[in-house]
Amino acid sequence: MELIVAVYADWGIGCSGTQPIALSADRKFFRETTKGCMVIAGRRTVEDFPGKKPLPGRENVLLTRRGGLYPGFTLCDSVEQVLEKAKNAPRARVIGGGSVYRQLLPYCEKAYVTKLNTVVKCDTWFPDLDSDPGWKLTELLGSGEENGIAYEFCLYERA
């Protein structure tokens, strides 16, 4: 399994269930990187999707213990169910939020990280892979600036 995340300079990822700043370049990178994949998200992340609808061109898996009606999503109520589903997918990518990342990070081999060179108010953080000896930055996939914010697309792999 792999994951994709956008982080701010302090590894913050969100506030009140959404991204405080989202760059169009990162949205494009996300679309291209997840197209055709199984994407795995938590309930709060899904509720932040446009119209709360599944992402097109992807198999959408929702990890939640609450249940509910989420047309177009495959619901899993445990990490074990997600792992079983992911075994049958050609590519599976974890897309958030914070609790889903924490639960599934131990099973991921690669992390696509968009680093935004800014700090904003966050209440959710992603683990700092730069200070984790279990991970290494293996490739800079691109960089740029948008709306005065520098960003980098980074690939981390398990060390």
Side-chain angles (χ1 to χ4, degrees):
M1 244 184 341
E2 301 172 350
L3 67 86
I4 186 166
V5 64
V7 302
Y8 306 104
D10 63 354
W11 291 83
I13 60 171
C15 188
S16 300
T18 193
Q19 284 182 297
I21 296 174
L23 302 179
S24 61
D26 180 52
R27 298 284 172 133
K28 181 181 179 195
F29 179 73
F30 176 87
R31 278 191 309 275
E32 291 171 354
T33 305
T34 62
K35 200 71 162 172
C37 292
M38 170 189 285
V39 291
I40 303 153
R43 179 188 49 79
R44 287 184 75 185
T45 298
V46 165
E47 289 178 355
D48 196 39
F49 285 2
K52 300 180 185 178
K53 294 183 179 174
L55 300 176
R58 301 157 189 89
E59 180 182 354
N60 290 261
V61 173
L62 172 57
L63 174 58
T64 182
R65 290 182 299 277
R66 290 190 181 186
L69 294 175
Y70 293 90
F73 290 89
T74 300
L75 270 61
C76 293
D77 63 9
S78 69
V79 167
E80 293 75 24
Q81 275 188 320
V82 168
L83 295 174
E84 193 59 38
K85 277 243 167 258
K87 279 184 196 175
N88 300 319
R91 293 181 308 156
R93 298 236 163 97
V94 180
I95 63 170
S99 68
V100 173
Y101 285 131
R102 281 191 300 280
Q103 292 176 74
L104 295 175
L105 181 62
Y107 305 99
C108 292
E109 295 300 318
K110 292 183 180 182
Y112 295 86
V113 179
T114 301
K115 291 182 173 182
L116 284 70
N117 189 20
T118 189
V119 176
V120 296
K121 181 183 178 209
C122 287
D123 59 18
T124 308
W125 285 265
F126 191 83
D128 179 348
L129 298 184
D130 288 324
S131 65
D132 185 333
W135 289 89
K136 64 181 176 180
L137 175 61
T138 57
E139 190 175 350
L140 180 61
L141 302 169
S143 63
E145 186 175 315
E146 183 178 321
N147 299 328
I149 300 170
Y151 61 86
E152 295 180 325
F153 301 124
C154 303
L155 177 60
Y156 287 81
E157 296 185 62
R158 285 219 174 260

